[in-house]
Amino acid sequence: MILRTIYTLCGIFVFLSCQESGNDLQKSEAIALDPPRQVILTWQQDPTQTMTITWRTDELMENHSLRYAYSPDARRRSWTSVKAESFTFDETKAWIHYVELTGLKPDREYYVIIDHPISPEEFHFRTLPSQSGKRDLVFLAGGDSRSRRDVRREINALAAEQFPDFVIFAGDFVNSAVNEKDWDEWFDDWHEQLITQDGRRIPIVPAIGNHEVIGYYRQTRENAPYFYNRFITPEPRNHYALELGSDLLVITLDSDHTMDVVEQTDWLETILEKYQDKRWKIVQYHVAAWPSVRGLNDEIPKKIRKYWVPLFEKYNINLVIEAHDHAYKRTVPIRDNQRDDENGIVYIGDGGWGAPIRDTKNAKDHWWLEEAFAADHFWKLTLSADGVNLKVEPVFRPPGRTFILEAEEVDNEIL
Ligand SMILES: [Fe+2]
């Protein structure tokens, strides 16, 4: 705060000292009004050794860069400076800047200053541990944050209070795919709120939803410009796998928005075969295969159950995170299209991070639903330090309704 105040005073000084020169004055005003904002952390590669940092400005200046160091108190020459890649795209007024930091050490905090002559942006982040036994890994899962901003902000605040290592987010960030105001509000909120009290920013692992896409379903990448340009993840960005530490693989899929479900099947099997020995394997995508509100026999759920679910079962996926229906849901353990308490997979969802919440089917009358009801919520997942136990907790808004699902209820392999 002190640093920011000093810089603000410097800004006034710059303004006053330039009054005699119109061009210089305009330049100073542009700089003063255009600080780096909407910082987002994602991963393109190994989360134990890399971090991708993205931010926006209104104007393209001569140099956009950041500095990072092990410690906020590092001496000046200990900070490493990195120039950003900058670009824009047709549907935005913003300039996007990003840096991928590589060669980092696992499980360490790094301090960052995004350079700006008036208002540099300061924060820190933490790489993930590369070995089990170090500490619990805490991460959140949710989706559907789109249209009730006040609720979304309440849930954002609840999310940051969990001190998570990262958030996996199963799509439908905003209501309108190319409405810049919607996206600005979403990114402004995320920037302001998805940060711990001590200034640690929380990375996101995003999946695409229908509201990121003009036309919603079976469209091209060009129809989802904000998703593809603002979240820099492993190519092709709509389906990718990330090893999140030594014991966890998270696979993100595109449920028919910019790529057909069927077309991802071969890639999915290749990934699952490659990582078959990974202890915990979690999948996220947007449209629920086992919905709490919409029809079980709608086209996309049927496709997912036909093409993806047999692979989930063949390779013993531990947990699947779904969204799109805007309700709280937990399925029974499912295998071969029936309840299987011994070897079934549990699917949780169905999105409730601010979207209008919906009444659900009655779980008692629908065999695949263990429980389902209308509730704003996200999920908190805690992977124990020894990598053996995954605790899954729904966190509801308003707080106070939280309860804990014991790990046995979702673990079909380890315990
Ligand atoms: Fe949706």
Side-chain angles (χ1 to χ4, degrees), residues 202-373:
I202 300 162
I204 185 169
V205 180
I208 193 168
N210 54 304
H211 281 264
E212 277 69 73
V213 187
I214 303 166
Y216 293 153
Y217 302 103
R218 291 170 289 284
Q219 302 295 320
T220 63
R221 175 176 178 139
E222 287 69 34
N223 278 31
Y226 278 83
F227 179 82
Y228 279 96
N229 285 298
R230 296 298 300 267
F231 297 110
I232 299 181
T233 59
E235 288 287 352
R237 299 191 182 170
N238 65 331
H239 64 288
Y240 56 92
L242 280 171
E243 286 182 274
L244 292 141
S246 58
D247 295 314
L248 173 65
L249 180 76
V250 172
I251 298 173
T252 295
L253 293 165
D254 179 337
S255 49
D256 241 11
H257 309 295
T258 57
M259 192 172 188
D260 195 298
V261 164
V262 183
E263 289 175 21
Q264 294 162 79
T265 306
D266 288 346
W267 174 85
L268 176 61
E269 177 141 36
T270 302
I271 289 294
L272 288 173
E273 195 170 354
K274 178 180 177 181
Y275 292 105
Q276 59 185 304
D277 295 329
K278 184 67 80 176
R279 185 176 267 175
W280 294 96
K281 296 181 280 288
I282 292 176
V283 178
Q284 69 158 347
Y285 50 83
H286 185 63
V287 175
W290 303 101
S292 57
V293 175
R294 295 170 213 253
L296 185 66
N297 289 316
D298 289 355
E299 181 187 354
I300 295 173
K302 278 174 70 176
K303 260 167 110 170
I304 294 173
R305 294 201 302 276
K306 181 175 179 181
Y307 290 98
W308 291 351
V309 167
L311 294 175
F312 299 165
E313 295 176 357
K314 178 179 175 184
Y315 291 95
N316 295 311
I317 291 292
N318 301 94
L319 183 70
V320 178
I321 294 144
E322 305 187 315
H324 189 51
D325 273 5
H326 310 176
Y328 169 84
K329 170 197 82 179
R330 178 167 61 102
T331 72
V332 301
I334 299 170
R335 182 172 286 267
D336 291 332
N337 284 307
Q338 59 188 328
R339 182 174 190 136
D340 181 343
D341 289 333
E342 289 294 309
N343 297 305
I345 298 171
V346 171
Y347 298 69
I348 59 174
D350 272 334
W353 201 302
I357 216 70
R358 298 185 177 119
D359 289 331
T360 65
K361 304 172 189 300
N362 186 337
K364 290 195 180 84
D365 302 329
H366 298 82
W367 68 264
W368 67 92
L369 294 174
E370 180 68 47
E371 55 178 358
F373 48 86

Side-chain angles (χ1 to χ4, degrees), residues 132-153:
S132 61
K134 288 274 189 181
R135 60 178 173 83
D136 289 355
L137 201 64
V138 176
F139 56 106
L140 311 182
D144 294 283
S145 57
R146 33 178 255 224
S147 44
R148 290 184 300 163
R149 189 182 185 188
D150 54 338
V151 176
R152 180 175 78 214
R153 285 183 59 83

